[in-house]
Amino acid sequence: MKSGFIAVTGKANAGKSTLVNALVGEKVSIVSRKPQTTRDKITGILNGEEKGERFQAVFIDTPGLHRAENKLSQYMMREAESACEGADVVLYLLACDREPDSHDDERIRAYAALGIPFILAVSKSDLGGEDAVPRRIERYKSLEGIDAVVPVCARTGKGLDALKSEIVRFLPEGQPYFDEDVYTDRTMRFMAAEIIREKALFELSDELPYGIGVNINKFSADEKGVTQIDADIVCEKKAHKPMVIGKGGAMLKKIGSSARFELEKLTGGKVFLTLWVRVKPDWRDDASVMRRLGYDDRRK
């Protein structure tokens, strides 16, 4: 048996969450077009067999690497940087929809120097033109410490099997860390908040800036499998509140309907979802509000 932890890192919007979801085969992390959607380290667990040997790969999806501009960003960067502590493999995603820069160079050199197995995944390999992948391989081919380079497209599935094989190759011998029927260590309460936030980001598109949070006030399930969820959508400015609510409450209803549909798939039963919109001015720089929303280093 092989088992180990894989820190999945890279710049914002490199496709980390989409890749982890594709590898695990379940929705572990929410996805949106907006940068810095992932705010916490999120664990996705893949159990399988490779060349006759059983394995458990525990993926740690991390926030995208970026310049911290507020307390929330600082929290996210700490989450991303701490993921490599105790990791058995580091997987860095280098996207093909934008050119590598000095920030990529610096991070890749740093990870390659850690002395643990390091895989460079050239993600979104269907974008950037025919020479996008070869250009990235050429850029880093002479750098010592890179153990494998794998082009991959999570959207189409191309390269996923090759990437999985490389990951398993570097996992140490060991017993599983989680039961085989578990695909994440996150609670249903956490997943509910993330799903609501994902739907809000999707429905609001470019109408609202990044600063949306979700607080679950109540989460309960009865013996019949009916789940009651009461949640706040938190925004930073008074002007944002009517955007989230929409004319006659239309936008809030749309967010709720979309979230409820996915929550019922997640819970396998009926979900009654109540949403409220709260304004917490500049909450991304307010440590007390951040803690209520779950962004708290002290809980680790």
Side-chain angles (χ1 to χ4, degrees):
M1 176 92 191
K2 284 188 165 188
S3 63
F5 290 83
I6 303 95
V8 184
T9 186
K11 288 164 68 173
N13 275 14
K16 298 180 294 299
S17 296
T18 303
L19 179 63
V20 170
N21 290 344
L23 286 167
V24 174
E26 298 282 355
K27 184 164 185 173
V28 174
S29 300
I30 65 170
V31 177
S32 87
R33 296 187 300 275
K34 293 196 175 188
Q36 302 167 32
T37 295
T38 300
R39 292 174 175 169
D40 292 90
K41 290 183 295 189
I42 299 175
T43 301
I45 303 153
L46 173 64
N47 294 283
E49 187 174 303
E50 183 79 10
K51 297 180 179 178
E53 187 171 35
R54 290 169 52 240
F55 71 86
Q56 183 177 88
V58 184
F59 297 95
I60 310 298
D61 184 18
T62 65
L65 301 171
H66 63 283
R67 181 177 299 171
E69 298 177 347
N70 50 51
K71 283 186 172 63
L72 177 62
S73 293
Q74 292 167 10
Y75 168 86
M76 292 162 62
M77 287 301 294
R78 289 194 296 271
E79 288 283 277
E81 291 167 356
S82 66
C84 293
E85 297 174 5
D88 299 290
V89 179
V90 173
L91 176 63
Y92 187 95
L93 268 65
L94 188 68
C96 282
D97 60 347
R98 56 191 165 181
E99 289 300 313
D101 57 20
S102 59
H103 186 270
D104 288 302
D105 296 342
E106 179 184 345
R107 290 289 179 172
I108 289 171
R109 282 197 298 269
Y111 291 130
L114 288 176
I116 61 176
F118 178 47
I119 300 173
L120 185 62
V122 183
S123 63
K124 302 184 182 182
S125 61
D126 57 331
L127 303 177
E130 293 183 359
D131 63 340
V133 172
R135 284 203 316 273
R136 283 152 180 79
I137 293 175
E138 179 68 23
R139 186 179 181 112
Y140 299 107
K141 71 176 184 180
S142 61
L143 181 62
E144 291 186 8
I146 298 178
D147 296 287
V149 180
V150 184
V152 65
C153 178
R155 184 180 62 82
T156 65
K158 186 176 180 180
L160 288 183
D161 287 341
L163 178 59
K164 183 179 70 174
S165 295
E166 290 293 349
I167 291 168
V168 174
R169 181 162 71 95
F170 293 113
L171 290 180
E173 299 287 334
Q175 296 302 308
Y177 293 92
F178 299 92
D179 292 338
E180 288 195 3
D181 58 347
V182 173
Y183 67 87
T184 184
D185 66 343
R186 288 299 192 172
T187 65
M188 294 288 279
R189 190 185 188 98
F190 174 87
M191 296 298 291
E194 288 289 271
I195 287 170
I196 294 167
R197 185 163 66 90
E198 178 187 57
K199 302 313 175 187
L201 289 171
F202 178 81
E203 297 294 349
L204 290 161
S205 187
D206 298 325
E207 297 175 35
L208 196 67
Y210 170 69
I212 281 184
V214 174
N215 181 52
I216 303 294
N217 303 311
K218 175 184 176 183
F219 187 103
S220 63
D222 62 23
E223 65 280 357
K224 296 180 180 179
V226 177
T227 303
Q228 301 270 358
I229 302 173
D230 183 286
D232 293 336
I233 296 177
V234 179
C235 50
E236 288 188 297
K237 302 182 185 300
K238 288 183 179 179
H240 297 163
K241 185 173 181 177
M243 297 180 191
V244 179
I245 296 174
K247 188 175 181 180
M251 178 57 72
L252 192 59
K253 289 177 183 176
K254 187 181 290 187
I255 294 169
S257 177
S258 182
R260 187 183 302 108
F261 177 77
E262 188 152 336
L263 287 166
E264 288 184 340
K265 289 197 297 182
L266 179 68
T267 62
K270 187 72 175 175
V271 170
F272 289 97
L273 174 63
T274 304
L275 295 178
W276 310 89
V277 183
R278 313 290 185 192
V279 179
K280 300 291 182 182
D282 300 318
W283 70 263
R284 288 184 292 167
D285 268 320
D286 188 326
S288 64
V289 177
M290 284 176 53
R291 283 195 293 271
R292 286 199 295 274
L293 295 178
Y295 308 122
D296 186 3
D297 292 315
R298 299 178 305 176
R299 63 180 167 79
K300 294 176 173 56

